[in-house]
Amino acid sequence: MKKTAVLVGCGAMAQGWLKAIFETPQLRNRLKIVALVDLSEEVATQLSEQFELSDVLISTDLDQVLKQTKPDFVLDVVVPVARFEVVRCALKHGCHVISEKPMANNMTQAHQLVELAADACVSHSIIQNRRFITGIRKIQQYLTSGVLGEISAIHCDFFLGPHFGGFREEMEHVLLHDMAIHTFDAARFISGKQPLAVYCQETNPAGSWFKHGASANAIFEFSDNCTFTYRGSWCAQGANTSWESNWRIMGSKGTLIWDGFDQLEAHLINDDQGFIHSSITVNVSGDVVEDETLGHASVLINILNALAQGDSPETQSLDNIHSLEMVFAAIKSAETGQRVLINEESQ
Ligand SMILES: NC(=O)c1ccc[n+]([C@@H]2O[C@H](COP(=O)([O-])OP(=O)(O)OC[C@H]3O[C@@H](n4cnc5c(N)ncnc54)[C@H](O)[C@@H]3O)[C@@H](O)[C@H]2O)c1
């Protein structure tokens, strides 16, 4: 039987969620949207028309809709500042929650939501879709296999210039809070290491069309003497990187390079003689499961499968909160100009 879901927040990203649900056979037959909720009834109605959802309830009142429909899931695609109240309301009604990233607007709210979900005995997971793509899955497998040796450094460059309009252009710390979490989360995932501390410098460069924090440079200390650096900008005009970032990963046996698109190769040391030791270039291939490479659809599949089997979803809030800790520690460092320790007790 299909699980029922109420989708809250019917803006740009909600279209991505509905496309993922209706265009993915592994989801289409498992989830039924019963209501669309938005601050604007008109926006919710437009979304229902776009996806020909003629039998769904349209409303601006989430609490009332949840009373009426008693869904299995609430799909939360609202703007970050509205997330806490929406998720709190869903958990109060005993619904499983799947939220867009970032999971909360600050760490206090994030911890409260984790506790509320545990008290309600329901699942609370986050759409961290950029770890569910082929490149990241292959890299994770490759590093886990040990071919690259001990990982000592991960370097990421992210340079794009998107003109979104909307909430992002008014947001504080926009790059760190709304985007960098994808790369931070992916670095945690591929390395399997714990973030311990960070120093971050943040600017809003000349010519920026964002109100605050469109660029950031962060140096994270990971466990096992591993360094993760992030250089990013959302107002970089020209010579753009991919949305996944450009990656250089250094191991004791070589270096892995990923351009964030199709170029993914390892340069492995094959000679221990001479001034600069020579290396061979090999493709990084892996036995990647297709269901884990579909972005949003994969996160949803992972959550539904986990719940059906009584397991924990990969992006459950209990895990995702550690990626969020990286974001807020970087923000605190940028604000104070100090190196900031990342809470080891909660890991
Ligand atoms: N995972 C990704 O790759 C990705 C990409 C883009 C956006 N996002 C995330 O998706 C979320 C939404 O972003 P968007 O681009 O769709 O924003 P948007 O502004 O286009 O849409 C948000 C919608 O939420 C509605 N809303 C706001 N407060 C609400 C409330 N209290 N109750 C009901 N509806 C409410 C707004 O009216 C609006 O229609 C954000 O958290 C953003 O970071 C994620």
Side-chain angles (χ1 to χ4, degrees):
M1 208 170 75
K2 282 188 181 181
K3 299 286 182 195
T4 55
V6 168
L7 185 145
V8 198
C10 300
M13 198 61 240
Q15 297 174 29
W17 283 57
L18 292 185
K19 270 183 108 172
I21 292 169
F22 296 129
E23 291 178 6
T24 312
Q26 303 92 305
L27 293 171
R28 207 174 26 234
N29 303 323
R30 297 171 78 181
L31 272 180
K32 179 176 168 53
I33 305 293
V34 293
L36 297 177
V37 179
D38 198 284
L39 293 179
S40 157
E41 195 168 320
E42 195 188 337
V43 168
T45 304
Q46 275 169 9
L47 191 67
S48 73
E49 287 168 359
Q50 186 184 343
F51 286 86
E52 298 176 0
L53 298 171
S54 51
D55 57 347
V56 300
L57 192 65
I58 303 288
S59 177
T60 57
D61 186 341
L62 177 63
D63 192 52
Q64 184 55 36
V65 164
L66 297 183
K67 261 186 213 140
Q68 204 173 325
T69 59
K70 300 189 176 14
D72 298 302
F73 286 91
V74 167
L75 311 180
D76 151 32
V77 202
V78 298
V79 292
V81 72
R83 176 140 301 122
F84 181 73
E85 289 305 334
V86 164
V87 177
R88 189 157 68 165
C89 177
L91 294 174
K92 189 183 81 184
H93 282 271
C95 305
H96 297 301
V97 174
I98 308 178
S99 273
E100 256 304 342
K101 44 59 51 175
M103 72 172 272
N105 234 15
N106 55 53
M107 288 312 297
T108 307
Q109 288 183 353
H111 285 292
Q112 276 183 35
L113 293 179
V114 168
E115 272 175 34
L116 288 172
D119 291 348
C121 298
V122 293
S123 159
H124 175 214
S125 301
I126 315 304
I127 293 282
Q128 207 67 69
N129 49 305
R130 290 183 189 276
R131 64 157 66 191
F132 283 91
I133 58 171
T134 307
I136 290 293
R137 292 279 147 174
K138 279 188 182 172
I139 294 174
Q140 193 267 347
Q141 278 185 16
Y142 200 74
L143 299 191
T144 306
S145 77
V147 183
L148 213 60
E150 289 291 315
I151 305 306
S152 57
I154 303 170
H155 301 294
C156 286
D157 279 350
F158 176 90
F159 293 106
L160 281 164
H163 291 77
F164 295 105
F167 72 90
R168 290 180 185 82
E169 292 186 5
E170 298 304 315
M171 212 172 156
E172 302 278 304
H173 307 288
V174 64
L175 181 74
L176 288 170
H177 196 177
D178 197 61
M179 186 65 215
I181 187 154
H182 283 301
T183 313
F184 293 0
D185 178 76
R188 262 185 73 224
F189 174 61
I190 58 154
S191 67
K193 299 192 187 299
Q194 292 170 5
L196 304 176
V198 61
Y199 174 77
C200 180
Q201 177 246 19
E202 184 190 45
T203 61
N204 200 31
S208 172
W209 49 95
F210 295 89
K211 186 178 125 195
H212 188 256
S215 291
N217 299 284
I219 306 170
F220 285 91
E221 296 160 41
F222 274 11
S223 54
D224 304 321
N225 199 25
C226 177
T227 304
F228 165 50
T229 69
Y230 173 83
R231 301 189 300 179
S233 178
W234 241 352
C235 55
Q237 309 261 40
N240 289 156
T241 63
S242 117
W243 281 86
E244 314 310 333
S245 298
N246 194 323
W247 295 66
R248 172 182 284 264
I249 301 172
M250 292 165 57
S252 53
K253 296 180 182 170
T255 293
L256 183 149
I257 300 283
W258 182 39
D259 67 356
F261 298 105
D262 296 331
Q263 192 203 357
L264 174 52
E265 57 195 29
H267 300 254
L268 302 176
I269 304 297
N270 74 335
D271 180 3
D272 60 2
Q273 305 296 312
F275 182 51
I276 304 272
H277 296 176
S278 68
S279 60
I280 51 161
T281 305
V282 297
N283 280 328
V284 175
S285 52
D287 196 11
V288 172
V289 181
E290 200 203 331
D291 269 5
E292 295 182 354
T293 63
L294 308 173
H296 271 75
S298 288
V299 190
L300 295 171
I301 292 169
N302 178 273
I303 293 167
L304 291 182
N305 286 350
L307 295 189
Q309 291 155 12
D311 291 339
S312 300
E314 188 175 311
T315 58
Q316 63 171 327
S317 54
L318 256 181
D319 179 82
N320 193 262
I321 199 168
H322 299 311
S323 297
L324 197 71
E325 277 167 352
M326 294 174 74
V327 169
F328 283 109
I331 288 175
K332 186 170 174 192
S333 173
E335 285 177 344
T336 59
Q338 303 292 314
R339 170 178 171 267
V340 169
L341 292 177
I342 299 173
N343 187 0
E344 286 171 276
E345 284 169 22
S346 63
Q347 296 186 9

